[in-house]
């Protein structure tokens, strides 16, 4: 009896027409244009050997309200962290008496496009390096300052600022560098490995079930083109490794340390999966 | 985050009688006073509790803010402008701190 009532109610909602956007789990048929000027690539043909035909930005899976926040750089709260990042970029710190700008000058010129190509191969460390680690490398070697601790507010702001200099440019890593291929392979393995009490892999959610709802969350393909992202839930910037760890925790598994081999391999592989999508940093997510 | 910082967007110019759109945002934690820290102590409330916008000393828009409003409060409103002048924006913090920003508009 109860079931019949619920069904009847669902039918009534569906008949009203308004239901379409509420019930449907399809990604939005919408175009992301920042400030009415810069058109972003939120869907594109997948690179060779990709398991999906089309790669899609997480933006397409968010509500109209969240999508609108990202489309207006004034309303996007992530832009506050871009501004903060710019201040840090220009601030002298450390024993060398230098700021980032002392060597790199105007980031809008010297860092344009840089954020599209990470992770890169670090020939010194003989492992992949992401933007956070490159910033720390410059802090230690060039500023003679301490490396940031994982997820320090300054690390997130500076990473956001540098990545933002590539806004609208396509994600394009060069996997021919160093040994990146084998890290890619390791990342792929991890992506398909089920973990935790729930026994789920990244693919269980983001490959097999993207477009569907998991509780109140509309599952996306789990692409990384918007990181660091502003999450409304935290009212703060969220780094990529924080997001990875959150997703692994949600399978009720122990999660690896930030910048560990596991998460660096995942970053290499998952970044590749979003090849061709525009950098959206700072993207807005729920 | 660092100290609260206002951001304001007002068109640089408009024609007399035009209705313009004003956007404002301030970086602020908006600590609700209802959360507890790891030790179980209540984190004291600290929010922006009032926002006003004036044009040449005359009120244009104002409102009170409550603890359920999320971090980095954003306002968008309209105003009709008849002559050139300056908008003054004011945010009042629970701590008593006041943050202000001024922006002029040229009316042709």
């Amino acid at each position: 009896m109860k079931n019949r009532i619920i069904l009847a109610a669902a039918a009534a909602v569906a008949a009203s027409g308004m239901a379409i956007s509420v019930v449907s789990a399809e990604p939005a048929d919408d175009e992301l244009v920042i400030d009415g000027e810069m058109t972003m690539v939120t869907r594109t043909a997948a690179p060779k050997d990709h398991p999906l035909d089309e790669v899609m930005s997480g933006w397409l899976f968010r509500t109209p309200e969240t999508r609108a926040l990202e489309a207006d750089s004034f309303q996007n709260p992530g832009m506050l962290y871009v501004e903060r990042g710019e201040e840090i970029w220009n601030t002298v710190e450390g024993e060398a008496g230098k700021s980032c700008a002392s060597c790199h000058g105007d980031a809008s010129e010297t860092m344009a496009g840089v954020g599209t190509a990470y992770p890169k191969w670090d020939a010194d460390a003989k492992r992949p390096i992401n933007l956070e680690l490159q910033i720390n490398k410059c802090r230690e070697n060039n500023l003679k300052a301490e490396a940031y601790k994982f997820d320090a507010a300054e690390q997130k702001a500076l990473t956001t600022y540098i990545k933002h200099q590539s806004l609208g440019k396509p994600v394009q890593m060069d996997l021919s560098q160093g040994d990146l291929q084998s890290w890619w392979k390791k990342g792929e393995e991890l992506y398909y490995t089920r973990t935790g009490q729930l026994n789920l892999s990244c693919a269980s959610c983001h490959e097999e079930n993207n477009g569907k709802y998991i509780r109140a969350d509309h599952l996306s393909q789990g692409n990384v083109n918007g990181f660091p992202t502003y999450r409304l839930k935290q009212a703060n910037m969220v780094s990529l490794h924080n997001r990875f760890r959150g997703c692994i925790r949600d399978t009720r598994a122990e999660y690896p340390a930030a910048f560990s081999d596991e998460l660096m391999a995942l970053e290499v592989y998952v970044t590749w999966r979003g090849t061709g999508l525009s950098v959206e940093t700072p993207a807005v997510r729920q | 985050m660092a100290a609260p910082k206002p951001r304001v967007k007002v068109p640089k110019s408009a024609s007399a009688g035009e209705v313009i759109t004003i956007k404002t945002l301030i970086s602020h934690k908006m600590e609700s006073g209802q959360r507890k820290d790891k030790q179980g102590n209540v984190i004291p409330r600290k929010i922006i509790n009032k926002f006003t916008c004036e044009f040449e000393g005359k009120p244009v828009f104002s409102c009170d803010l409550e603890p359920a409003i999320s971090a980095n409060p954003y306002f968008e409103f309209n105003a009709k402008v008849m002559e050139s002048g300056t908008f003054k924006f004011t945010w009042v913090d629970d701590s008593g701190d006041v943050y202000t920003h001024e922006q002029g508009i040229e009316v042709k």
Side-chain angles (χ1 to χ4, degrees):
Chain A
M1 186 61 205
K2 224 175 188 176
N3 275 343
R4 289 230 324 258
I5 295 171
I6 293 166
L7 277 179
V13 175
S16 76
M18 228 179 68
I20 297 159
S21 67
V22 181
V23 180
S24 159
E26 289 302 305
D29 182 12
D30 197 357
E31 200 177 46
L32 175 55
V33 185
I34 310 275
D35 297 340
E37 285 166 4
M38 188 187 279
T39 304
M40 312 288 271
V41 176
T42 55
R43 289 171 185 262
T44 189
K48 201 172 146 283
D49 298 330
H50 197 291
L52 304 167
D53 296 332
E54 194 182 29
V55 292
M56 288 185 241
S57 163
W59 181 80
L60 293 169
F61 296 81
R62 305 279 54 94
T63 62
E65 295 79 11
T66 306
R67 294 204 302 275
L69 270 180
E70 186 176 330
D72 181 346
S73 68
F74 189 87
Q75 281 189 65
N76 181 346
M79 292 304 291
L80 294 165
Y81 300 81
V82 170
E83 287 175 8
R84 176 76 190 113
E86 182 172 16
E87 284 169 17
I88 299 170
W89 178 264
N90 291 305
T91 303
V92 173
E93 215 190 308
E95 283 166 23
K98 289 197 165 80
S99 69
C100 310
S102 310
C103 290
H104 294 294
D106 181 354
S108 69
E109 286 168 18
T110 62
M111 293 290 139
V114 166
T116 63
Y118 279 81
K120 288 183 177 177
W121 183 252
D122 183 345
D124 302 330
K126 299 200 173 44
R127 69 194 292 266
I129 185 169
N130 62 11
L131 213 42
E132 285 90 338
L133 292 175
Q134 173 66 54
I135 291 170
N136 272 349
K137 199 175 175 186
C138 273
R139 279 182 61 86
E140 291 189 294
N141 298 343
N142 296 320
L143 258 56
K144 307 283 177 219
E146 262 181 52
Y148 288 132
K149 292 214 169 63
F150 172 57
D151 268 358
E154 294 81 7
Q155 177 178 68
K156 289 195 281 184
L158 197 49
T159 307
T160 303
Y161 175 62
I162 294 175
K163 195 84 183 290
H164 181 67
Q165 308 308 316
S166 302
L167 184 71
K169 296 200 165 75
V171 172
Q172 195 58 268
M173 299 170 56
D174 177 5
L175 283 171
S176 70
Q177 297 170 357
D179 202 16
L180 278 186
Q181 276 295 346
S182 73
W183 285 77
W184 180 95
K185 191 80 206 142
K186 188 175 169 197
E188 184 190 35
E189 255 170 58
L190 288 166
Y191 194 87
Y192 289 98
T193 303
R194 290 171 179 272
T195 57
Q197 289 176 325
L198 297 185
N199 203 30
L200 295 168
S201 69
C202 312
S204 317
C205 286
H206 293 297
E207 186 170 308
E208 288 153 32
N209 285 302
N210 72 70
K212 300 198 186 124
Y213 277 90
I214 182 163
R215 296 204 224 149
D217 262 338
H218 194 189
L219 274 173
S220 73
Q221 294 181 352
N223 282 315
V224 304
N225 54 308
F227 278 87
T229 57
Y230 185 86
R231 280 194 74 186
L232 299 166
K233 187 175 146 194
Q234 266 99 345
N236 206 334
M237 299 307 293
V238 169
S239 68
L240 182 55
H241 286 211
N242 185 319
R243 176 85 242 192
F244 282 169
R245 283 159 40 127
C247 279
I248 297 170
R249 187 200 53 218
D250 288 349
T251 70
R252 302 206 190 134
E254 300 256 349
Y255 50 77
F259 313 134
S260 60
D261 286 356
E262 287 92 338
L263 295 195
M264 289 307 295
L266 260 184
E267 181 170 350
V268 169
Y269 178 70
V270 181
T271 304
W272 170 81
R273 284 178 72 108
T275 299
L277 293 174
S278 296
V279 171
E280 289 176 26
T281 314
V284 182
R285 300 288 186 257
Q286 84 291 11
Chain B
M1 280 235 72
K5 210 164 114 188
R7 303 172 82 205
V8 169
K9 200 164 170 182
V10 178
K12 287 200 172 57
S13 62
S15 44
E18 195 180 330
V19 176
I20 60 161
T21 299
I22 296 175
K23 297 177 176 183
T24 76
L25 181 79
I26 187 162
S27 60
H28 197 284
K29 264 188 103 116
M30 299 292 282
E31 187 61 61
S32 68
Q34 283 160 25
R35 298 196 310 154
K36 289 181 178 163
D37 65 16
K38 289 198 178 97
Q39 284 77 44
N41 304 316
V42 172
I43 306 172
R45 179 183 129 158
K46 188 177 187 307
I47 67 168
I48 297 282
N49 59 47
K50 195 170 182 58
F51 169 73
T52 59
C53 168
E54 292 175 347
F55 183 74
E56 297 293 325
K58 289 193 295 286
V60 174
F61 176 86
S62 86
C63 68
D64 293 335
L65 284 75
E66 305 295 341
I69 291 173
S70 61
N72 309 322
Y74 169 83
F75 290 109
E76 179 177 327
F77 50 92
N78 299 306
K80 196 175 188 172
V81 285
M82 304 308 289
E83 75 234 67
S84 299
T86 302
F87 286 99
K88 183 175 180 193
F89 305 89
T90 309
W91 293 259
V92 183
D93 196 311
D94 277 345
S95 65
D97 288 340
V98 174
Y99 317 104
T100 59
H101 188 90
E102 292 192 6
Q103 197 135 324
I105 185 166
E106 190 190 336
V107 173
K108 292 174 196 149

